[in-house]
Amino acid sequence: MKRIFVFLGIALVILLQLNCSSEQEKINNPTLSGVTDDINAAPLVEEVNLESMYEDEVRKLATKTPVQLITVIEGTSKVIVEAEFRRVESSGFGFPLYECVLTDEAVQAMGGLAQGMSGSPVGPPGKVFGALAYGEAWAAAPHRFWVTPIGAMEATLEHTTFGEFLNPPAAPSAVVNPTYVQVKTPMTITGIDNSRLEQLSSHLSGTRFDSVEFYSRIGGAPAATPANASLNLSAGDMIGVATVTGDVVNSIGTGTVTQVYGDKFVAFGHDMFLDGQVSLPVYRAVVDGIVANTRISYKSSTVYGNPIGTITKDLRPGIVGELGPAPSMIPVNVIYQPVNSPEPIRKRHKVAYGQELSQLLLQLH
């Protein structure tokens, strides 16, 4: 009889542990899956072709004119998110900003705007007048956001950077209304513990990295291409821009494509590092889900496949990319000598040119 009670006790403990494990998995996975079922429009599985709409037309729009935001909420399929145009506002950037309000109840329930949505094309149905770029921190519904005009983004296609001719035009003022903040680029870094990431963020505060938000995760290297992924890049697609790739550490920022012009495209609606001329590999990306956050939610995304081209410019109105071959990168090999092993461990990485400071990430991991 005593043995029976012992066995029953062991079985009860195992059942409790299994139940706790199941609950723990739910807690550790904060992404909101299946959200596209509640979005007003069905997922857009085909290419999105939008007509550019410029400032003179936007100024004629009435307040509360319905507009649409195209973005990826889950997977690689794009969805339409409902919003309203409010007004044109002046800024210190050398171009105006368009104020809009998010009206889509399903997205509001998910937490509203999310980092990684920056670059999402916004405009009346079938048109794009700009890219979602700025929002309110600690905002409550209805969420307001500000749009970088497509005209300013298109100007970056032909803009002469300092690195090209060493004779740049006067830089626009960096002053921006304090009531709204940049919808930062989520920069996912693998191979670094959260505590070290917080230390890194504090050291880089007030530097060129202020336009990105650092996150750590176990996996983050380019994955296999999803079965339903489109072979063509179009407005609303997610992309990842890498500064470091390799066996352990991968540092990749993700955002949204605003408009495509043949083999060139513009994205993000704001700068990444404001570096001017750059040479960064760009990948397609898939959204794992939206991670809710009181301050501002963010898209949990993973890049996949091989690089599809190069980011060539990083300017105030957005980034410019060219589809085609991947850029050259700096090979960096890290060698470890384990205490209990005579054989060293070698890990191979690549760092983008102009991003040499990112080699610190290899030392931190």
Side-chain angles (χ1 to χ4, degrees):
M1 181 65 69
K2 184 176 181 181
R3 289 182 178 179
I4 292 175
F5 282 118
V6 171
F7 286 135
L8 286 174
I10 293 173
L12 181 60
V13 170
I14 292 173
L15 287 172
L16 287 173
Q17 286 180 338
L18 287 173
N19 185 59
C20 290
S21 175
S22 175
E23 291 299 319
Q24 185 66 31
E25 287 178 2
K26 293 178 183 177
I27 293 173
N28 288 338
N29 182 18
T31 57
L32 306 176
S33 61
V35 293
T36 53
D37 296 337
D38 298 323
I39 304 298
N40 293 334
L44 305 171
V45 295
E46 299 178 352
E47 285 186 58
V48 174
N49 296 306
L50 302 173
E51 178 187 349
S52 294
M53 181 179 182
Y54 300 104
E55 183 182 341
D56 57 344
E57 296 179 82
V58 176
R59 289 186 178 276
K60 296 177 183 178
L61 293 177
T63 299
K64 295 189 177 182
T65 295
V67 294
Q68 298 178 336
L69 183 156
I70 298 176
T71 195
V72 178
I73 299 295
E74 184 180 20
T76 58
S77 296
K78 296 177 283 290
V79 295
I80 292 176
V81 177
E82 302 296 336
E84 288 181 350
F85 168 78
R86 283 291 188 265
R87 57 179 169 269
V88 179
E89 290 189 5
S90 60
S91 74
F93 289 157
F95 51 82
L97 295 175
Y98 307 147
E99 181 185 337
C100 298
V101 174
L102 196 64
T103 58
D104 199 297
E105 294 183 0
V107 178
Q108 295 279 21
M110 290 160 39
L113 301 180
Q115 292 175 131
M117 283 185 182
S118 56
S120 298
V122 183
K127 295 187 176 183
V128 52
F129 60 46
L132 184 155
Y134 303 91
E136 296 177 299
W138 310 100
H143 292 84
R144 293 192 299 167
F145 62 92
W146 287 263
V147 174
T148 298
I150 191 65
M153 298 184 72
E154 288 181 352
T156 62
L157 293 168
E158 305 301 328
H159 178 79
T160 301
T161 64
F162 183 84
E164 289 170 311
F165 281 108
L166 300 180
N167 186 26
S173 167
V175 177
V176 120
N177 191 319
T179 61
Y180 49 84
V181 295
Q182 193 172 93
V183 179
K184 294 186 176 183
T185 302
M187 178 72 74
T188 301
I189 303 177
T190 63
I192 297 180
D193 185 77
N194 272 325
S195 60
R196 303 300 296 274
L197 195 61
E198 292 173 4
Q199 181 184 17
L200 174 67
S201 298
S202 64
H203 284 309
L204 296 178
S205 178
T207 68
R208 60 195 285 274
F209 291 96
D210 274 354
S211 295
V212 302
E213 189 84 24
F214 291 111
Y215 298 96
S216 67
R217 67 190 298 174
I218 297 174
T225 304
N228 64 337
S230 171
L231 299 178
N232 299 313
L233 193 67
S234 67
D237 281 332
M238 284 293 293
I239 56 171
V241 181
T243 60
V244 178
T245 59
D247 295 337
V248 179
V249 177
N250 288 270
S251 175
I252 302 173
T254 52
T256 309
V257 173
T258 308
Q259 187 69 300
V260 179
Y261 311 88
D263 62 350
K264 293 186 178 182
F265 63 89
V266 291
F268 287 20
H270 55 64
D271 59 277
M272 189 170 175
F273 300 123
L274 199 58
D275 281 343
Q277 184 182 21
V278 294
S279 182
L280 305 172
V282 58
Y283 296 80
R284 299 182 189 277
V286 58
V287 179
D288 306 318
I290 303 295
V291 180
N293 186 286
T294 305
R295 181 177 179 274
I296 183 169
S297 302
Y298 69 94
K299 288 184 181 182
S300 175
S301 305
T302 305
V303 302
Y304 62 84
N306 296 318
I308 60 172
T310 304
I311 299 301
T312 59
K313 298 178 184 180
D314 179 9
L315 302 169
R316 182 71 68 192
I319 61 173
V320 176
E322 294 185 6
L323 299 174
S328 299
M329 298 180 73
I330 306 168
V332 178
N333 297 325
V334 181
I335 302 175
Y336 307 89
Q337 182 59 62
V339 176
N340 300 323
S341 174
E343 294 297 325
I345 298 175
R346 301 176 185 273
K347 299 296 181 181
R348 295 175 173 80
H349 295 84
K350 292 181 179 179
V351 176
Y353 282 98
Q355 302 294 322
E356 287 80 2
L357 185 61
S358 296
Q359 294 184 56
L360 290 173
L361 303 177
L362 302 178
Q363 299 173 12
L364 284 175
H365 85 273

